[in-house]
Amino acid sequence: MRILIVGAGAVGGYFGAELAAAGRKVSFLARGQRVPQLRAHGLTVVRPQGSTTTRVHALTASELTEPYDLVLLAVKAGALLPALDDIAHAVAKHTRILPLLNGIRHIETIRERFGERAALGGVGIVATQQDARGRILMLAAGANIAYGELDGSRTPVLDQIAAELSAAEIEHTISSTIEQDMWEKWFFMAAGAITTVLLGGPVGRIVAEDDGSAAITAIIDETAVVFERSGHPVRAEAIARVTTTLTTPGSQFTTSLYRDFLDGRGTEVETILGDLLTTAGRLEIETPLLRAATVRLRVHAATLTPRTIVVGT
């Protein structure tokens, strides 16, 4: 498949580098100084056991002249609309767009722009961060992608994507419940963001304090109610996984939203928490913990200068 990676940051950079290193037909669409940086230095992924650098094909939107088979969309929510403008010449009738974004509303945005069948559902799980040199730092072991048709059907393109990911030894799952998977990732991101931002640290530091675990459990319970009342109840096994992740003693786990907040960068507050708070308000659900975390991040956003607001990856 001809694959276009949109967003050469922490997520797209990692998965794209793995595909490129495996010799797949991958191009990276980027903006600004990221393009000459990729052309000159390639993509470096830094793991605890060492780093690898892969030469990659990077291009700008003006250089897109032919359609691709697959567009792997891995940008921050604030960069979605410009990214869709950028890929217009890369999308044909057969092109499928696999978004690895947080939240859920991006699916409708993609459909409105490119048609009902353009978007696949996708969930990317990887703990990475892009440093000042453009390198992708692995913060924890393990990375995988779940993807599927939003109606749950099995189509040939899913097997084509599986072949590409398998060649790159990327762990992956074709999911017949990908929409539910996306809602449950949103649940995880929201509960994790509220926990780390509101309580101020990695989960191991929080649970070490008296009532720390109880405070986290209250956050999980409050968040789960919103999803249940909105018609997308979180499955028991998903709640168990989130609870384990957010209450493990000694864990250094934090969310990307918390790390952006801590480093003084812009965050995806509206996509991860703001949309959920709006839903809770519409359903007349009291969510004091969600509201407090959302307001805290909005105050943070109001203090940022234009230079510190990062809308893409």
Side-chain angles (χ1 to χ4, degrees):
M1 302 182 78
R2 296 188 72 229
I3 303 172
L4 181 66
I5 309 292
V6 184
V11 177
Y14 173 79
F15 288 120
E18 295 293 278
L19 287 163
R24 314 323 291 169
K25 295 180 181 178
V26 177
S27 298
F28 289 83
L29 178 64
R31 287 184 165 201
Q33 291 304 306
R34 188 64 166 151
V35 178
Q37 184 183 59
L38 291 172
R39 289 172 175 170
H41 305 293
L43 257 175
T44 297
V45 178
V46 181
R47 301 175 176 84
Q49 62 269 35
S51 63
T52 56
T53 299
T54 304
R55 306 301 298 182
V56 298
H57 178 229
L59 69 168
T60 65
S62 63
E63 295 170 323
L64 282 177
T65 58
E66 296 180 347
Y68 284 74
D69 302 311
L70 179 68
V71 176
L72 186 67
L73 189 59
V75 297
K76 295 287 181 73
L80 176 59
L81 292 179
L84 296 185
D85 288 338
D86 286 349
I87 66 173
H89 293 296
V91 179
K93 288 184 178 180
H94 74 281
T95 305
R96 304 305 301 276
I97 301 172
L98 175 54
L100 301 180
L101 279 73
N102 293 318
I104 202 79
R105 59 174 162 165
H106 59 274
I107 294 294
E108 191 57 36
T109 303
I110 294 169
R111 284 173 157 177
E112 288 175 354
R113 181 64 185 270
F114 295 112
E116 192 73 13
R117 293 291 292 175
L120 294 165
V123 172
I125 303 296
V126 60
T128 50
Q129 187 171 5
Q130 182 180 328
D131 70 6
R133 294 163 56 186
R135 302 180 305 169
I136 310 302
L137 311 180
M138 289 289 294
L139 305 179
N144 64 81
I145 297 177
Y147 55 97
E149 299 286 357
L150 289 160
D151 62 5
S153 63
R154 184 66 177 253
T155 56
V157 71
L158 301 179
D159 294 314
Q160 291 178 303
I161 295 170
E164 299 292 331
L165 297 176
S166 295
E169 299 184 353
I170 295 172
E171 291 189 19
H172 60 94
T173 303
I174 298 175
S175 174
S176 61
T177 60
I178 193 63
E179 186 173 3
Q180 178 68 18
D181 299 339
M182 292 171 65
W183 281 94
E184 289 176 356
K185 185 190 177 184
W186 187 11
F187 166 72
F188 169 57
M189 293 296 294
I194 298 167
T195 295
T196 51
V197 170
L198 205 57
L199 302 181
V203 299
R205 179 65 265 166
I206 298 166
V207 300
E209 302 298 332
D210 291 343
D211 297 317
S213 292
I216 295 171
T217 299
I219 289 168
I220 293 170
D221 290 345
E222 180 183 283
T223 307
V225 168
V226 181
F227 282 82
E228 181 176 3
R229 293 273 300 278
S230 66
H232 300 279
V234 180
R235 292 170 289 196
E237 57 268 29
I239 291 179
R241 286 195 303 270
V242 171
T243 301
T244 297
T245 300
L246 296 184
T247 60
T248 300
S251 171
Q252 292 302 304
F253 175 82
T254 60
T255 61
S256 58
L257 188 149
Y258 172 74
R259 293 191 295 272
D260 286 340
F261 166 66
L262 198 64
D263 292 342
R265 296 193 294 266
T267 74
E268 291 188 288
V269 55
E270 299 305 332
T271 299
I272 297 174
L273 300 184
D275 285 356
L276 199 61
L277 184 60
T278 298
T279 300
R282 187 179 70 249
L283 297 172
E284 299 182 345
I285 304 170
E286 289 298 322
T287 53
L289 300 170
L290 168 60
R291 179 179 293 109
T294 304
V295 171
R296 178 65 190 95
L297 288 169
R298 285 172 174 168
V299 170
H300 165 73
T303 68
L304 299 178
T305 65
R307 285 187 177 181
T308 59
I309 297 175
V310 179
V311 297
T313 58

